[in-house]
Amino acid sequence: MTTQRDAAFYMADIRSKRPTRRRAVAVGEFLPGPEAFATVIERRLPKGDALVMAEIAGLQGAKMASMLMPLCHPISLELVRVRCVPVPERHAIRVYCECALEARTGVEMEALAGVNAALLTLYDLTKPVEPALAISGIRLLFKEGGKKGLWVHPDGMDEDERGHYQPRDLARLDGVPCAVITLSDRASAGEYEDRSGPVLVAGLRKLGADVDDIEVLPDGIDPLAERLRALAQQGVRLCVCTGGTGLGPRDVTPEALRLVADRSVHGLAEMIRSESAKHTPLAWLSRAEVVQLGAMLVFALPGSPRAAQQCMDILAPLLGHALAMLDGRPHA
């Protein structure tokens, strides 16, 4: 008699994640000691130029990450750069591996695999002249992309590392006054708890925004149009509405936005549909809308919590840049 057991390990299911531009840089050090250090950097090792071979090995190691680690997703790397930087004052060689691509999963393991392969190659080529070698300080320096944006290792980076790699975070909305409005007859009547609005509030506050206006209104054109005009006059810069963008008879949020709009922002609306469709084909049934009202941008997003979160992830990298353009300020 046999008993079937669930596997004790799983490859992460990333099918529902949205492809984004991702980058990771890993670092580690090779410590050959004073005499061997000079031999390495002067390229006098018996087996050949260790620095050049280490960079080649790092490239190969990054590409083979999924073969070395069983649960690591095979990915199509678009960039791998390996650097070996001598540090004479410590007789060390600092090795960096930078990996980048656009995908549903990150490239941290590829960067770490590249660093390890380069360090082991330095070790292998140096051991004929000095067996007392050490490898130290292997870690992820930083990663960027995905819905979480920039992450930097707690040990930080020095000025040279920041200057060379220029890590980029999501454009912040620090201090920007924002509003979130949920459009729902049932939620406004207290028949069920609004769950989409809080998702948007959390996403905006994560970017540093001041979200003081949080409301639930019944479906309808006039109440929403009146409220949008008032918020624009109060100096609110971003208003994100959720609900009322479908094909039902009471789904009239886009009509309210068009009633008050100074200009439509068709590109952002189409991007919301296109990127959301990577999660579900039902996104093409959404009438998501984006308009400009004075100095305020207004977004009409779908009403489900999951769709609200997806749309927030899609828009987060662009909101700060959109406001900069609206103000005529330079933007990256």
Side-chain angles (χ1 to χ4, degrees):
M1 179 177 179
T2 59
T3 303
Q4 185 174 358
R5 300 176 60 187
D6 291 338
F9 49 84
Y10 304 91
M11 177 178 278
D13 185 352
I14 61 173
R15 291 174 297 173
S16 63
K17 297 177 70 175
R18 186 174 63 90
T20 64
R21 298 188 65 167
R22 299 170 184 267
R23 184 168 65 128
V25 176
V27 64
E29 287 193 346
F30 176 58
L31 306 170
E35 295 183 9
F37 174 80
T39 305
V40 172
I41 64 171
E42 292 170 9
R43 306 173 194 268
R44 294 187 287 106
L45 288 172
K47 289 186 178 182
D49 190 334
L51 298 177
V52 171
M53 186 57 65
E55 293 181 2
I56 295 171
L59 290 167
Q60 191 70 6
K63 292 190 291 183
M64 295 183 66
S66 64
M67 297 180 66
L68 298 170
M69 291 161 278
L71 302 185
C72 184
H73 290 87
I75 56 178
S76 298
L77 289 169
E78 296 171 359
L79 169 73
V80 181
R81 290 195 181 115
V82 181
R83 290 197 304 146
C84 296
V85 181
V87 186
E89 59 271 22
R90 292 192 289 107
H91 303 111
I93 297 173
R94 198 161 172 83
V95 178
Y96 298 89
C97 182
E98 175 187 12
C99 296
L101 82 168
E102 182 170 339
R104 289 183 168 89
T105 188
V107 286
E108 303 97 304
M109 300 313 299
E110 286 71 18
L112 287 163
V115 160
N116 277 278
L119 290 168
L120 288 172
T121 298
L122 287 172
Y123 194 113
D124 178 49
L125 298 186
T126 308
K127 61 182 172 60
V129 300
E130 174 57 78
L133 305 171
I135 290 171
S136 172
I138 299 171
R139 63 182 173 92
L140 187 66
L141 194 65
F142 72 88
K143 64 176 180 176
E144 62 187 27
K147 65 181 181 181
K148 294 181 180 179
L150 177 66
W151 179 89
V152 179
H153 193 281
D155 289 348
M157 290 184 281
D158 62 32
E159 291 184 7
D160 289 339
E161 290 168 340
R162 283 191 175 274
H164 185 87
Y165 291 109
Q166 300 181 354
R168 298 181 63 180
D169 200 356
L170 300 175
R172 300 280 299 171
L173 297 175
D174 293 321
V176 174
C178 298
V180 171
I181 301 177
T182 299
L183 286 307
S184 169
D185 290 332
R186 293 173 57 213
S188 67
E191 296 178 11
Y192 80 94
E193 182 182 0
D194 170 34
R195 293 187 296 131
S196 300
V199 169
L200 298 174
V201 171
L204 290 169
R205 285 177 175 166
K206 183 179 178 181
L207 294 173
D210 291 337
V211 190
D212 295 326
D213 294 282
I214 306 169
E215 307 172 49
V216 179
L217 298 178
D219 291 303
I221 295 177
D222 293 335
L224 176 56
E226 180 180 349
R227 190 65 189 123
L228 291 175
R229 292 190 183 103
L231 291 170
Q233 291 176 358
Q234 293 169 17
V236 172
R237 299 303 314 280
L238 283 173
C239 180
V240 186
C241 304
T242 174
T245 61
L247 302 179
R250 293 285 290 165
D251 291 332
V252 292
T253 300
E255 284 73 17
L257 267 63
R258 295 185 196 117
L259 181 64
V260 300
D262 295 323
R263 289 193 295 184
S264 294
V265 188
H266 298 296
L268 285 176
E270 288 307 308
M271 184 191 72
I272 291 169
R273 274 184 285 276
S274 177
E275 292 297 314
S276 297
K278 295 176 182 178
H279 298 283
T280 171
L282 296 178
W284 293 113
L285 298 177
S286 167
R287 298 191 302 128
E289 189 74 50
V290 184
V291 303
Q292 178 187 345
L293 172 55
M296 181 171 73
L297 281 177
V298 187
F299 296 80
L301 305 180
S304 76
R306 182 181 179 188
Q309 182 63 67
Q310 290 170 351
C311 290
M312 195 68 231
D313 294 342
I314 292 166
L315 292 170
L318 298 175
L319 293 175
H321 300 296
L323 288 180
M325 293 178 68
L326 202 61
D327 296 338
R329 293 182 279 115
H331 55 93

